[in-house]
Amino acid sequence: MIEVPPASSDIDEVSAANLVNDSIRGKSCAQAADALRLLSNQVLSLGTMASQPALPGRPDPEFKRKWREHIRSPQFWRKVWDRMANAYMSCNRGCFDDGLAVGQISATAYCSASVALDGLPGAGFLEQTPLPVCETAIFAGCLQSYQTTATSFPGCGPYTADNYQRIFYEYQSQDCHL
């Protein structure tokens, strides 16, 4: 897996690059699932740290404030996810491309139904098992393509945000978790 330096000095970009690069450093494509698990653990750890009260020996309040801002920022998460998706794409190009196709088809169906019916009900909770490496690459490609397709689909914007954001994410997860 290839580490990619930050594309700019933007703090979100630098932080996203550091998180993803730390999680993939020294890992082969066969360890891609481990990299995703490490990234998840890092984010959980940072979230816990950022929510703890200031005490001697803990990170300074300014550092915690900045991480709380990152954690609440959809733009930051998009940068993290795009970087991780690119790492998967470099390992499993065929699988990733399959995911792109699935995401495009699924998002088109979601948006068409949402626009036609003025919104869809929530998909509800579905237990999802861990995916092997190829399936994880498909999932990563699907999520990326689903988001891109929904963003560019005429009239779909309102059904991906605000009151529909949770529903959109439920359908995205369900449709991409093959």
Side-chain angles (χ1 to χ4, degrees):
M1 299 182 84
I2 301 168
E3 293 181 47
V4 179
S8 71
S9 59
D10 171 69
I11 190 70
D12 280 351
E13 174 67 21
V14 171
S15 296
N18 289 339
L19 272 175
V20 172
N21 287 340
D22 286 347
S23 69
I24 66 174
R25 186 169 293 122
K27 294 196 176 36
S28 68
C29 288
Q31 298 168 309
D34 292 335
L36 188 57
R37 195 170 13 265
L38 179 59
L39 176 65
S40 175
N41 290 338
Q42 287 175 306
V43 169
L44 290 172
S45 176
L46 286 166
T48 300
M49 175 276 307
S51 65
Q52 293 177 341
L55 293 173
R58 290 202 180 146
D60 70 86
E62 182 61 18
F63 179 78
K64 289 179 176 187
R65 184 191 62 74
K66 287 180 183 178
W67 271 105
R68 281 192 303 275
E69 288 175 8
H70 283 316
I71 291 169
R72 293 179 184 132
S73 167
Q75 294 81 13
F76 171 71
W77 290 115
R78 184 89 253 142
K79 289 175 185 187
V80 169
W81 183 251
D82 286 345
R83 285 182 161 279
M84 189 54 96
N86 287 334
Y88 269 95
M89 183 172 49
S90 70
C91 288
N92 297 297
R93 185 67 201 199
C95 295
F96 190 87
D97 288 347
D98 290 345
L100 291 175
V102 170
Q104 186 174 21
I105 292 165
S106 297
T108 300
Y110 170 83
C111 288
S112 295
S114 292
V115 170
L117 300 172
D118 194 26
L120 296 174
F125 174 76
L126 295 172
E127 186 173 339
Q128 298 171 333
T129 58
L131 299 170
V133 173
C134 185
E135 285 79 357
T136 303
I138 290 171
F139 183 69
C142 181
L143 289 178
Q144 187 175 45
S145 180
Y146 202 105
Q147 189 79 27
T148 303
T149 301
T151 302
S152 63
F153 192 96
C156 191
Y159 304 106
T160 64
D162 300 326
N163 292 337
Y164 285 99
Q165 187 174 37
R166 181 188 54 78
I167 292 169
F168 173 73
Y169 287 143
E170 285 178 10
Y171 276 92
Q172 182 182 25
S173 178
Q174 175 185 312
D175 292 347
C176 290
H177 202 93
L178 305 173

